[in-house]
Amino acid sequence: MINNIQDTVTLNNGVKMPGFGLGVYKVEDGDTVVQSVKAALKHGYRSIDTASFYDNETGVGRGIKESGVPREELFVTSKVWNDQQGYENTLKAFDESLDKLGLEYLDLYLIHWPVKDKYKETWRALEKLYDEGKVRAIGVSNFHVHHLQDLMADSNVKPVIDQVEYHPHLTQTEVKAFCEKENIQLEAWSPLKKGRILDDPTISGLAEKYGKSPAQVILRWGVQNNVVLIPKSVNEHRIVENADIFDFALTDEEMKQISGLNKNERTGTNPDSFDE
Ligand code: NDP
């Protein structure tokens, strides 16, 4: 379990990744994303999660540069979008992302969604980028167990990460158990359920007990479950608040109470039925 904002988890290829970072989905390109990234880096974040689909890689790159934090201290993730999949298209999409970000390499590149009949070819492109040293680690997002099994049966490099929707209303027990067995790190998207779970009475009760906010209780639960977290905020005070979760601990009983809120409820689409 990580013990501070810069603490790392070791991925299955030996690369160390911060267990906590900033997400930037729906953050507008330009000053908004530049300020979010700079605020996060100023307050100790070292990991940023973007994607070509978010259309803000240029601003993320600017924020990184203006922060003055040395590149080697940072962990930058991007993702190949659905209409960029396939072998050649993915290689091209990667170069475009790198170019927009103004970086020489990525730390992590993910397949954003398992586009049927394409994700294996996409993966071969990721393997090539990895072999060439253009990216330090490669992984997937929104893969169910059957997608992971299918990919792993037919590839050379194992994904280091599966980034899936994960919060107390969607605890992903099946994917989590499979990933633990296979040494694939689980990473949570929408770890705060996009702010739609903050008024749950169990969570607010615990928040009151510990003198923390509901968001902090939820994120602490994620940390204690060894899941990598990338909460999004454009507000500096919430960026600080979300990372201020290393001075208290939930008991085993409280962890179970929060996990017991699971309803297998998604804010996003099911990876078996998304619109390709
Ligand atoms: P989150 O669960 O991180 O919630 C973000 C929302 O919660 C925002 O509206 C934010 O508002 C609000 N919020 C943040 N902190 C607090 C707080 N302390 N108290 C109250 N409200 C708060 O949702 P996301 O969907 O953004 O997920 C996080 C990241 O995961 C994304 O940004 C993206 O990087 C990644 N992601 C990946 C997906 C994938 O398919 N791989 C899909 C979706 C997300 P405000 O900004 O105004 O503070």
Side-chain angles (χ1 to χ4, degrees):
M1 191 180 80
I2 58 163
N3 288 308
N4 63 66
I5 189 179
Q6 292 182 3
D7 227 352
T8 55
V9 297
T10 304
L11 304 174
N12 66 31
N13 68 347
V15 164
K16 291 182 188 309
M17 172 181 191
F20 197 90
L22 179 77
V24 295
Y25 181 37
K26 297 216 166 145
V27 181
E28 205 182 315
D29 201 12
D31 286 347
T32 312
V33 81
V34 171
Q35 292 315 322
S36 305
V37 168
K38 280 168 76 175
L41 297 180
K42 180 173 96 184
H43 293 292
Y45 287 60
R46 287 297 176 266
S47 170
I48 309 287
D49 180 272
T50 184
S52 60
F53 179 66
Y54 304 167
D55 205 13
N56 58 19
E57 289 169 309
T58 306
V60 168
R62 233 181 82 203
I64 287 173
K65 226 157 252 121
E66 289 178 18
S67 76
V69 177
R71 171 68 183 97
E72 61 276 13
E73 287 182 22
L74 297 174
F75 194 97
V76 183
T77 301
S78 193
K79 316 184 189 85
V80 53
W81 185 240
N82 303 344
D83 64 7
Q84 298 174 314
Q85 289 203 34
Y87 185 79
E88 292 297 339
N89 281 350
T90 299
L91 295 177
K92 201 166 138 244
F94 179 87
D95 283 343
E96 281 167 15
S97 284
L98 215 52
D99 193 43
K100 284 187 180 160
L101 285 159
L103 298 176
E104 300 287 318
Y105 65 91
L106 280 187
D107 296 281
L108 179 64
Y109 197 46
L110 304 178
I111 300 183
H112 210 142
W113 289 85
V115 175
K116 236 189 290 162
D117 303 327
K118 285 222 176 133
Y119 65 74
K120 287 193 186 176
E121 282 307 301
T122 304
W123 188 252
R124 267 183 259 291
L126 265 60
E127 287 180 334
K128 178 178 160 68
L129 295 164
Y130 179 61
D131 286 344
E132 290 175 347
K134 292 182 172 169
V135 55
R136 297 172 66 226
I138 53 175
V140 297
S141 177
N142 299 303
F143 273 45
H144 281 319
V145 170
H146 72 87
H147 295 118
L148 287 167
Q149 285 170 327
D150 184 45
L151 186 70
M152 282 157 57
D154 203 10
S155 58
N156 299 320
V157 182
K158 197 186 215 184
V160 296
I161 286 259
D162 191 4
Q163 183 187 109
V164 298
E165 181 174 356
Y166 175 90
H167 44 67
H169 285 167
L170 181 67
T171 55
Q172 299 274 18
T173 45
E174 203 195 338
V175 182
K176 189 164 186 289
F178 182 82
C179 285
E180 274 163 13
K181 180 165 72 76
E182 291 291 340
N183 195 16
I184 296 170
Q185 176 65 49
L186 197 73
E187 182 176 22
W189 64 254
S190 295
L192 297 170
K193 203 189 179 194
K194 300 190 159 76
R196 297 175 202 163
I197 195 183
L198 302 173
D199 56 358
D200 176 275
T202 303
I203 289 171
S204 36
L206 291 168
E208 200 168 318
K209 170 178 169 185
Y210 288 106
K212 289 285 175 179
S213 70
Q216 289 172 321
V217 169
I218 295 166
L219 296 170
R220 180 70 205 178
W221 167 84
V223 163
Q224 288 185 218
N225 277 328
N226 294 313
V227 177
V228 170
L229 306 176
I230 42 165
K232 169 261 175 187
S233 180
V234 292
N235 294 298
E236 185 165 359
H237 74 276
R238 283 174 168 174
I239 289 173
V240 172
E241 176 189 327
N242 290 344
D244 181 18
I245 52 172
F246 298 101
D247 60 351
F248 77 111
L250 299 163
T251 65
D252 291 348
E253 189 50 44
E254 290 161 352
M255 289 295 290
K256 277 194 204 128
Q257 272 175 24
I258 300 177
S259 300
L261 301 174
N262 181 41
K263 323 194 240 183
N264 294 325
E265 189 171 273
R266 296 173 186 276
T267 65
T269 333
N270 188 314
D272 275 331
S273 57
F274 68 100
D275 193 5
E276 292 177 0

